[in-house]
């Protein structure tokens, strides 16, 4: 639970307690005992309902609802919520956040170099990179959510899976960075024919789509470290 949510819950609980005590003291002077308790229940019940609603809406599972995840910032918020949960995947979640922040910086850099009002084919590739990384982040969230602490013997299997997916992201983001560097050297007149990295990036996207995480790791002969940082 986020610190802001905890503070809100504490403030609400304190307010509810003060209100309940005040009402009790006022109503205790009345002869209608049944009515006194009925009023107290009428105050406490909605308060408990509000508390539950706040907790539910701010839970990691609720924030990770696929219907609510539209862009990189949504996924970052979902991952940050999971960092407040008791999960063995914190290092990999932090790396996923770093990758999403890197993706945002790269997308912004591309649109700084090329006029984003133009119908440039590079933006199609940028959107494909965005969709691919977000799809992988959805896979990561799903794996984090389905992990059962009672099946601790499966922990390494989940870790290997997360490493593979994060490795895919790292590979695509690295090629995307190289593409942006090439475009920055050529300028606004950059064309697909003049940017070899576009072909490499396209092939990379096709490769990691057609192969699973384990296949990709075997081809690249690497295993991403949890503390790996992106350059951009």
């Amino acid at each position: 639970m986020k610190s802001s949510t905890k503070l809100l819950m504490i403030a609400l609980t304190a307010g509810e307690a003060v209100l309940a005590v005040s009402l009790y003291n006022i109503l205790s002077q009345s002869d209608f005992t049944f009515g006194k308790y009925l009023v107290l229940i009428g105050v406490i019940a909605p308060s408990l309902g509000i508390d539950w609603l706040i907790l539910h809406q701010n839970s990691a599972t609720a924030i990770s609802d696929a219907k609510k995840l539209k862009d990189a910032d949504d996924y970052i918020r979902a991952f940050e919520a999971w960092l407040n949960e008791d999960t063995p995947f914190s290092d990999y979640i932090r790396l996923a956040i770093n990758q999403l922040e890197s993706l945002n910086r790269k997308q912004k850099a591309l649109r700084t170099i090329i006029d984003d009002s133009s119908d440039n084919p590079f933006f199609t590739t940028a959107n494909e990179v965005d969709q691919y990384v977000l799809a992988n982040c959805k896979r990561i969230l799903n794996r984090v959510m389905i992990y059962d602490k009672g099946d601790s013997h499966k922990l390494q299997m989940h870790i290997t899976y997360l490493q593979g997916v994060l490795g895919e992201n790292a590979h695509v983001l690295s090629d995307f960075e190289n593409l942006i560097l090439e475009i920055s050297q050529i300028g606004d007149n950059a064309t697909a024919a003049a940017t070899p990295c576009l072909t490499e990036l396209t092939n990379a996207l096709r490769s990691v789509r057609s192969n699973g995480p384990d296949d990709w790791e075997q081809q690249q002969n690497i295993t991403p470290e949890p503390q790996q940082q992106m350059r951009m």
Side-chain angles (χ1 to χ4, degrees):
M1 187 188 300
K2 294 182 179 179
S3 298
S4 58
T5 303
K6 290 181 180 179
L7 292 174
L8 177 59
M9 292 298 300
I10 292 173
L12 285 174
T13 302
E16 292 162 3
V18 171
L19 179 60
V21 170
S22 298
L23 282 175
Y24 182 85
N25 289 334
I26 293 173
L27 294 173
S28 62
Q29 301 174 9
S30 172
D31 295 332
F32 300 101
T33 304
F34 178 75
K36 173 177 63 179
Y37 288 110
L38 191 62
V39 171
L40 285 175
I41 293 173
V43 172
I44 295 174
S47 299
L48 292 175
I50 293 172
D51 291 345
W52 178 88
L53 184 61
I54 292 173
L55 285 173
H56 177 71
Q57 290 180 339
N58 287 277
S59 68
T61 302
I63 295 175
S64 301
D65 186 349
K67 302 184 188 69
K68 301 177 181 179
L69 303 176
K70 306 299 182 183
D71 54 30
D73 291 335
D74 290 338
Y75 278 91
I76 289 174
R77 283 191 289 271
F79 281 129
E80 288 176 342
W82 278 104
L83 286 177
N84 294 311
E85 301 291 334
D86 183 18
T87 171
F89 306 120
S90 295
D91 286 339
Y92 302 99
I93 291 173
R94 291 188 184 92
L95 179 51
I97 292 173
N98 289 342
Q99 290 181 338
L100 287 168
E101 291 174 343
S102 173
L103 175 64
N104 278 340
R105 291 193 295 271
K106 287 174 172 59
Q107 296 285 10
K108 183 178 180 180
L110 180 63
R111 282 162 175 75
T112 299
I113 297 170
I114 301 177
D115 183 7
D116 59 6
S117 64
S118 64
D119 186 19
N120 195 298
F122 291 114
F123 291 131
T124 300
T125 300
N127 289 335
E128 290 178 354
V129 171
D130 195 83
Q131 293 171 9
Y132 182 79
V133 173
L134 294 185
N136 268 356
C137 287
K138 181 178 180 180
R139 293 164 63 191
I140 294 171
L141 278 175
N142 288 342
R143 187 55 64 104
V144 170
M145 285 190 289
I146 67 174
Y147 173 67
D148 184 356
K149 296 176 184 178
D151 292 334
S152 58
H153 64 283
K154 294 183 179 180
L155 176 60
Q156 187 56 49
M157 177 191 71
H158 292 300
I159 289 176
T160 300
Y161 178 86
L162 295 180
Q163 287 176 335
V165 176
L166 290 166
E168 293 176 8
N169 280 354
H171 182 56
V172 169
L173 288 170
S174 178
D175 284 346
F176 188 36
E177 178 181 335
N178 291 334
L179 174 64
I180 296 172
L181 290 174
E182 283 193 1
I183 295 174
S184 68
Q185 294 171 0
I186 299 174
D188 288 336
N189 296 323
T191 63
T195 50
C197 275
L198 178 59
T199 301
E200 295 180 11
L201 178 56
T202 302
N203 291 337
L205 284 169
R206 290 174 179 171
S207 175
V208 293
R209 281 171 180 162
S210 60
N211 298 324
D214 296 336
D215 292 335
W216 187 88
E217 282 184 349
Q218 292 172 5
Q219 293 171 10
Q220 301 300 319
N221 194 29
I222 65 168
T223 299
E225 296 295 333
Q227 290 81 19
Q228 177 183 356
Q229 301 293 325
M230 304 306 300
R231 288 178 290 169
M232 289 183 66

